[in-house]
Amino acid sequence: MTHTTLDGIIAYPVTPFAAGDGTVDTDRLAALTDRLVRSGCHAVAPLGSTGESAYLSDQEWYAAAEASVAAVAGRVPTVVGIADLTTRSAVERARFAERAGADVVMVLPLSYWRLDEREVVRHFTAVADAVSVPVMIYNNPATAGVDLSPELMVRLVRTVENITMVKESSGDIQRLHRLHRLTDGELPFYNGSNPLALEAFAAGAAGWCTAAACLIPELTLELHRAVRIGDLDAARSVFYRQLPLLDFLLSGGLPTTVKAGLALQGFEAGDPRQPLLPLDEAGLARLAGLLAATAAVPA
């Protein structure tokens, strides 16, 4: 198994679609990925929930994965999201991501029929056994229909060699505390809930997985720096400065709101794929105001 250490801000790009035919625009994806790396983000994670991976065909997914890894070009780690209803397809995508050069694969189990613990364990084990890169467990019950307990995730880390880290996105800070306590702080875990960023770092999170870095990378990085040097006053200040925007991005759906925010900043990434719809005029006005307020230099 290869060893990759993730720490800090792990940026989640949207997947841009061409304005005319709505196909995946790999050139724009590469440009956005490069922008995230140059902004100072510590890792890039394409094809997560923000990247609309659930709405891509297999060939679109392969093209986006390949373009993303190529654009990062080894400057920071690349964490490719793997989410599929079948274990067979998840294994195929994980293997492709590894061949393309991904440093980590992040596995989100999806459920149509409710999965029991035995089925979840088998799914993760099959994907992990198929690759030699580290595997990150991704728990996001709101989108996946599967809720992984801290105890189950820790058991997977302890029993499957290359499952080495956890991303927790349930929005429950107590789960992060539980992960810390179950492993005496030795398990690298990552926060995927934007409004919990400050609390998660205080709970010992190794990093913050966030699409907000597409719009406000300097503020996400500033929060991480303040936490790492132990400046709690500065951390609180920069967190509360961005919190209204973080709340809006989450409540409006990340692909929709982040793509709208990028367009407001002059970077066209197309509309989200239907059935998702672009922000309406009221939403755009609200987002524009939040971006302006967040960017304003505090008195």
Side-chain angles (χ1 to χ4, degrees), residues 50-65:
T50 301
E52 298 179 75
S53 60
Y55 302 127
L56 303 182
S57 70
D58 286 342
Q59 290 308 311
E60 288 177 324
W61 189 94
Y62 295 141

Side-chain angles (χ1 to χ4, degrees), residues 12 22 36 87-88 110 127-128 146 153 174 201 221 254-255 261 289 296 299:
Y12 281 70
L36 290 169
T87 301
R88 180 179 181 178
L110 297 179
V127 176
V146 181
M153 291 190 283
Q174 295 304 320
F201 276 132
L221 290 162
L254 291 170

Side-chain angles (χ1 to χ4, degrees), residues 44-245:
V44 177
L47 297 167
S49 306
T50 301
E52 298 179 75
S53 60
Y55 302 127
L56 303 182
S57 70
D58 286 342
Q59 290 308 311
E60 288 177 324
W61 189 94
Y62 295 141
E66 200 165 40
S68 300
V69 176
V72 173
R75 292 173 288 173
V76 297
T78 306
V79 183
V80 174
I82 309 294
D84 203 282
L85 283 169
T86 70
T87 301
R88 180 179 181 178
S89 293
V91 164
E92 290 175 355
R93 290 188 175 191
R95 285 174 170 160
F96 182 90
E98 181 178 31
R99 290 195 301 270
D103 299 286
V104 176
V105 294
M106 179 185 69
V107 180
L108 174 73
L110 297 179
S111 175
Y112 180 84
W113 293 106
R114 184 182 180 91
L115 302 182
D116 63 23
E117 189 168 294
R118 179 176 60 96
E119 291 162 333
V120 168
V121 168
R122 179 60 190 145
H123 181 78
F124 274 103
T125 302
V127 176
D129 286 349
V131 296
S132 59
V133 296
V135 173
M136 174 189 284
I137 297 173
Y138 179 16
N139 185 44
N140 190 349
T143 59
V146 181
D147 193 3
L148 309 176
S149 69
E151 288 77 9
L152 175 57
M153 291 190 283
V154 168
R155 177 153 67 91
L156 282 165
V157 170
R158 286 175 172 166
T159 58
V160 182
E161 180 184 7
N162 59 325
I163 298 180
T164 61
M165 59 193 96
V166 168
K167 176 188 173 188
E168 227 300 321
S169 298
S170 68
D172 181 357
I173 190 65
Q174 295 304 320
R175 296 196 181 201
L176 299 183
H177 293 316
R178 185 68 179 152
L179 288 169
H180 182 90
R181 293 175 64 190
L182 285 169
T183 63
D184 293 325
E186 294 182 358
L187 171 66
F189 61 85
Y190 302 83
N191 169 54
S193 177
N194 285 335
L196 288 185
L198 178 61
E199 294 169 274
F201 276 132
W208 176 19
C209 303
T210 179
C214 292
L215 304 177
I216 52 169
E218 67 287 346
L219 294 182
T220 63
L221 290 162
E222 190 176 336
L223 173 60
H224 175 255
R225 283 192 296 268
V227 169
R228 287 294 181 260
I229 65 173
D231 190 341
L232 183 57
D233 287 340
R236 278 196 297 255
S237 176
V238 72
F239 174 69
Y240 287 122
R241 181 176 163 192
Q242 60 192 291
L243 182 57
L245 176 62

